[in-house]
Every structure is written in C-alpha cells, then in structure tokens.
Amino acid sequence: MSGSSSIELIFIASPGIGHLVSTVEIARRMISRSDHIQVTVLIMILPFDSTVKAYAQTLAASNIERIRFIQVVGNEDESSEFVASKNYLSLFIESQKPFVKKIAVELVKNRCVGDPKLGGFVVDMFCTAMIDVAAELGFPSYVYFTSSASFLGLMLHLQRLRDEEDVDVTQYGDYLEGAVFKLSRFHHPIPATVLPSVVLDKDGASKLFLDHAKRFRKAKGILVNTMMELESFAIDSLVLDNQSPQIYPVGPILNLQNDTNNNHDYSNAKESEILMWLDQHPPCSVVFLCFGSLGSFGPEQVQEIARGLEASGNRFLWSLRRPPPKDEVAFPTEYDNPEVVLPDGFLTRTSKVGKIIGWAPQVSVLAHPAIGGFVSHCGWNSILESLWFGVPLATWPLYAEQQVNAFEVVRELGIAVEISLDYRKDFRMQTKKLVSAEEIERGIKCLMEEDSGVRRKMRTMKETSRAAMMKGGGSSYTWLGRFIHDMMDSAP
C-alpha cells in the first residue's frame, strides 16, 4: 500500500453481537473494494456478554488482511455499576470515551513514514458519543446505521420535533391506543403503539436516545444497512432533507457464515443435527420460530405458542430459550428439558412434524429449502436475512426498534404477515401482554399459504437484494463506491 494515497478508518462497534458482526462485515466490504483502505475495529464488550467475548477472541485470532481488532479495555467495576439502569448501554458507551481516545492517540502517534493516514471514524448508530472523540482529534466521523432507513428517518423526525418545535415526544405514551402521526419517510400513518419504548420513556432514556439522532447531524455521512430497491421512499426523503448528512444505502450487509458461536464443536454438531432433520421435509413446508439473542418467553406464553403451532397443523422448527431470572441482566439459556414448560404430551404428539431446539444456526436454517416461513422478532439483521433467502416473515417484535420494523415489513413493504405489531418487553425483558394461541395459529396459517402475495413479493426481493450487491451496477455496490470516493476525498 502506498502511504501517500492510503487511508485507515477506525470502526467503533456497539457492544452487541448483531452490531459487531455487521460492523466487521462492512469493514470487509470496504477493504475488498479498495486496496487503499485499512481498518481498525475497536470492540467494546459488556461485562455479562460471553457471546461477544468469544466472538472477539475468534476475531483476534483471525488473520484478515488489512483489518485489525483492538478490544477497548475500560474500568469493568465502573461498567458494572450501570447494569441496573435502563440507560445502561448509553452510560457504558459514554464511559468508554477516554479509553477509545487513548487508543486513537496511540494509533496516530505510532505511525511511521509510509503508513496509511487516519481518514476518520466510522461509529455505530449507538456509539455517537465517539463523534466527540473524533472531533477532539480533528478527524471526520461517519455513522454506520445498522437498522432501516425508515427508522433513521423516524429518529431524525422525533429529534427535530423535540429540539426545533419543543414537542415532548414522551407524551405519545400517554395515549397510545388510536394515536397516529404522519411522517414523510412512511407511506402510511404510524400508530403510536409501534414507537420504541425508549422514545416514550419519561425518566431520561428518551433524551439519550434522541441525542443520538442529534449527533447524526454532525457526521459527514451515514451508511445505512438497506438498499434503494427496498426503501426508496424513505431514502429519497432523507436525501432531500438538507439538514441531514449524505445518506449511503449500502446493504444488505450480512454475515452468511454462521461463525459467531465460538464453541465450534458444539455448534457444528447441533447444526448438522438440525439440517439433517430439515432434509427429511418437503420444500417450503416448515415454519421456523426464532426470536434473536435476547428472545425468550415465560411459561404461559410458551404454552400459547405450542397450542397455536399444534392447531396450525404445520411442520415447525422452534428455537425455545429459557429466560434469565427476573432480577438478573443476562441472556437466555438452553433448557435442560423443554418438557417442563410445554403442554403435556406436546412433544409426543408433534414428534413427526416438529422439532424443539435451543441455539439456532439462523442463516443455515433460512437457507434450507424446507423452510417456508419465519416467525421473527423483526431485528433488522433477521429481516435482511429473510430477504436474502426469500423466506416470508411473520412479525412478533420484542424490544428496541422492532415494533417499527414490524410495521414497516407488514404495512409499508408487504413482505410479512402480522402476528403482532405492538408486543413489547421492558428493559428488563418483562411484559404483561399475552399473544393467544388463536392469534398464533391464524398468523402461521397465513404465513404458510403457498401462493400468497407476501410469498411472491419475497421471491422478487430475494433476487433484488442479491442484484443490489452485484459488482458493476448493483445499487448498493455503487453507493459503497461513492462513499469510499467521498471519504478519501475529504480525509484530513
């Protein structure tokens, strides 16, 4: 690499496996596009997150040309103090600023003649506190937005209401039922019931959340994990917004390797067992239920899901996880014996058509021809994976922006059927809402219709999402090239 024309970017990933994996993938895409880019990925790890810790170890041992990984080692005792707060993630990231600054200063100070020059920071959508660090050091910042363009538009709209029109957006939580509002990023009015819980929080979380959007406006550009063909309406409205930075729709950015589980012997054996079971079933005949890394349900809801599945008469593969204790911040775990939460005789009655699993190799499952539908928590990565493999969705959002995502894929895009749009859990992953067996049965039957409009749209989007990434003309391929050009032109 020629030092005079080469650039190094510092990527800062939000602590969370989905965000980290997506950050690594976009870094890979960039270096594959240009021999003049080098990347350093800074990894922050929450004290209780063993999954990210294991994945970080895998990355550290890897030998990816022109990408290096540095773990941000902060004050773990101080980080642990935040766990009980609903603002934990924001407080944790803010506490890492001095450690990130120290790393960046060392990177600059230790440069030799001929080394690439530092071109700027690329920060995750929840790491906007690091824009301040970049500014202090005299470097530009770019945001990597790992969710949809529509959600980006919603964040910017709510932030503008708060800061320019003095609107208390938390008031929408006082009259959720029946309240709607119109936004240029969406075709349809948005019901207040799908707003993220954090937006409605009156104890400070809403302010911290919308402060991210305020900081977005300080960035030189925003890379969005979406494609023009999927969200043209939202993207066009963002491009026309002269108060927003340049938007670069560069998705779908996906890790299709299933390499985030560090226990390879365990995961490989489980994956083989699951795929062999799927091999026994006809194409598009199995419904897959999986709810993300934080997805789990209490015994009463598990019983309703089981009854709905059985009543639907469909083949199924169900990733069933055990919730952590109510007063503990932790990830779901495996059941030693799932029979303890399932209806009596359920496993026996469904033994020929269904399989209960714990951890799920989601990408491999969605890629299998036997899968005909996906009941999902509507995390944006999961939605993009469904698009990539052409698998229709049924929506069951749990937390974060997933209710907005569910609304978008059902009402705006028509690529999903509704089980629920407004189911939600609080920051402790608790809820009082119960989705009935009848609602679940109805949603699954609709999802698995052989020639539905949703299924036809998903087949089209499968081809479209792959075309967007194609060299020499794909829309997202072109936008990524434009970002690289703009970034290198404006590097200090």
Side-chain angles (χ1 to χ4, degrees):
M1 289 169 60
S2 167
S4 60
S5 61
S6 297
I7 296 293
E8 179 174 6
L9 292 172
I10 295 177
F11 277 69
I12 304 177
S14 181
I17 190 64
H19 289 258
L20 176 56
V21 168
S22 193
T23 296
V24 172
E25 288 308 306
I26 194 169
R28 288 179 193 262
R29 293 287 171 88
M30 284 192 190
I31 63 168
S32 72
R33 289 293 301 274
S34 173
D35 293 335
H36 300 292
I37 294 177
Q38 179 173 304
V39 170
T40 294
V41 180
L42 304 189
I43 302 173
M44 296 179 284
I45 304 176
L46 298 170
F48 54 83
D49 195 341
S50 59
T51 302
V52 168
K53 190 174 293 184
Y55 184 52
Q57 291 170 355
T58 300
L59 293 172
S62 65
N63 186 22
I64 306 174
E65 186 180 1
R66 289 183 285 123
I67 302 182
R68 61 180 164 179
F69 301 94
I70 300 176
Q71 182 177 335
V72 180
V73 181
N75 186 332
E76 189 164 317
D77 290 338
E78 181 185 8
S79 301
S80 299
E81 293 175 9
F82 307 141
V83 171
S85 170
K86 66 178 69 175
N87 302 325
Y88 173 65
L89 183 62
S90 293
L91 294 171
F92 174 80
I93 293 171
E94 186 73 27
S95 74
Q96 304 302 295
K97 285 171 67 172
F99 307 104
V100 168
K101 183 178 180 179
K102 182 180 178 182
I103 292 171
V105 167
E106 289 295 317
L107 290 174
V108 173
K109 187 171 70 174
N110 293 333
R111 291 197 182 288
C112 300
V113 175
D115 285 348
K117 63 181 181 180
L118 188 58
F121 286 39
V122 180
V123 304
D124 181 272
M125 60 188 284
F126 294 126
C127 293
T128 59
M130 303 306 169
I131 292 175
D132 299 338
V133 175
E136 285 178 38
L137 300 177
F139 294 105
S141 291
Y142 304 88
V143 171
Y144 178 39
F145 197 83
T146 55
S147 192
S148 71
S150 296
F151 185 59
L152 171 60
L154 177 63
M155 286 185 70
L156 291 169
H157 175 77
L158 293 172
Q159 177 264 324
R160 187 176 292 167
L161 284 178
R162 183 195 69 175
D163 294 336
E164 297 180 14
E165 300 182 29
D166 199 27
V167 173
D168 176 10
V169 298
T170 66
Q171 67 181 320
Y172 294 124
D174 297 332
Y175 49 90
L176 284 178
E177 292 302 326
V180 298
F181 58 97
K182 183 66 178 161
L183 176 61
S184 63
R185 277 69 167 174
F186 292 81
H187 286 286
H188 300 86
I190 305 170
T193 52
V194 305
L195 289 176
S197 297
V198 67
V199 170
L200 309 174
D201 181 79
K202 297 179 183 293
D203 297 323
S206 180
K207 179 186 183 303
L208 289 171
F209 180 73
L210 295 182
D211 282 349
H212 287 303
K214 188 174 183 178
R215 287 196 182 111
F216 292 164
R217 300 185 190 278
K218 297 180 181 180
K220 286 191 69 68
I222 304 177
L223 297 140
V224 187
N225 192 8
T226 190
M227 57 182 173
M228 181 64 77
E229 294 84 352
L230 179 65
E231 293 192 284
S232 59
F233 190 75
I235 293 166
D236 285 342
S237 69
L238 286 166
V239 168
L240 293 172
D241 183 354
N242 58 15
Q243 295 185 44
S244 300
Q246 175 65 55
I247 303 297
Y248 301 91
V250 295
I253 303 293
L254 298 171
N255 178 343
L256 301 174
Q257 304 304 316
N258 266 334
D259 60 357
T260 59
N261 191 322
N262 203 44
N263 190 347
H264 295 298
D265 291 338
Y266 171 81
S267 60
N268 289 342
K270 287 291 183 182
E271 182 171 341
S272 296
E273 177 190 325
I274 291 163
L275 297 182
M276 286 176 63
W277 184 85
L278 287 171
D279 288 341
Q280 302 169 26
H281 298 280
C284 296
S285 66
V286 177
V287 59
F288 175 44
L289 297 87
C290 189
F291 300 94
S293 58
L294 291 175
S296 63
F297 299 98
E300 189 177 5
Q301 186 62 77
V302 169
Q303 296 261 328
E304 293 296 313
I305 295 172
R307 282 193 281 268
L309 272 173
E310 189 171 4
S312 77
N314 275 103
R315 296 174 172 88
F316 65 86
L317 178 68
W318 180 6
S319 175
L320 176 60
R321 313 294 301 283
R322 179 172 55 194
K326 283 186 178 181
D327 57 351
E328 186 176 318
V329 177
F331 287 91
T333 54
E334 309 283 299
Y335 277 105
D336 295 326
N337 177 15
E339 280 188 290
V340 298
V341 289
L342 293 167
D344 290 342
F346 175 80
L347 290 178
T348 301
R349 293 192 301 274
T350 61
S351 60
K352 293 183 179 179
V353 296
K355 185 174 181 64
I356 303 286
I357 59 175
W359 168 83
Q362 183 168 294
V363 168
S364 297
V365 170
L366 290 174
H368 197 284
I371 297 298
F374 180 22
V375 179
S376 171
H377 66 307
C378 297
W380 191 245
N381 278 342
S382 292
I383 289 170
L384 293 179
E385 288 169 4
S386 280
L387 285 167
W388 188 262
F389 295 112
V391 178
L393 286 156
T395 61
W396 193 327
L398 301 180
Y399 55 90
E401 88 286 15
Q402 293 164 10
Q403 292 79 19
V404 177
N405 293 346
F407 173 81
E408 181 178 6
V409 294
V410 172
R411 302 284 166 79
E412 296 282 301
L413 303 177
I415 56 173
V417 301
E418 175 184 347
I419 289 178
S420 176
L421 296 183
D422 58 3
Y423 185 95
R424 67 180 66 229
K425 294 190 172 190
D426 61 23
F427 87 104
R428 288 286 189 182
M429 298 304 287
Q430 303 300 313
T431 185
K432 294 179 180 178
K433 184 162 183 175
L434 187 72
V435 180
S436 71
E438 291 73 23
E439 292 172 283
I440 296 163
E441 175 191 356
R442 187 163 52 246
I444 289 174
K445 284 182 174 178
C446 185
L447 173 66
M448 298 300 286
E449 286 181 15
E450 287 188 14
D451 195 35
S452 66
V454 166
R455 192 170 297 280
R456 290 194 298 271
K457 282 189 178 180
M458 266 301 199
R459 288 194 198 110
T460 300
M461 291 310 303
K462 174 181 178 179
E463 303 306 320
T464 301
S465 63
R466 293 166 189 240
M469 305 302 292
M470 286 183 62
K471 182 178 180 180
S475 63
S476 296
Y477 182 91
T478 301
W479 275 107
L480 184 57
R482 181 174 170 181
F483 167 78
I484 291 170
H485 177 272
D486 292 349
M487 178 273 298
M488 297 190 80
D489 265 5
S490 60

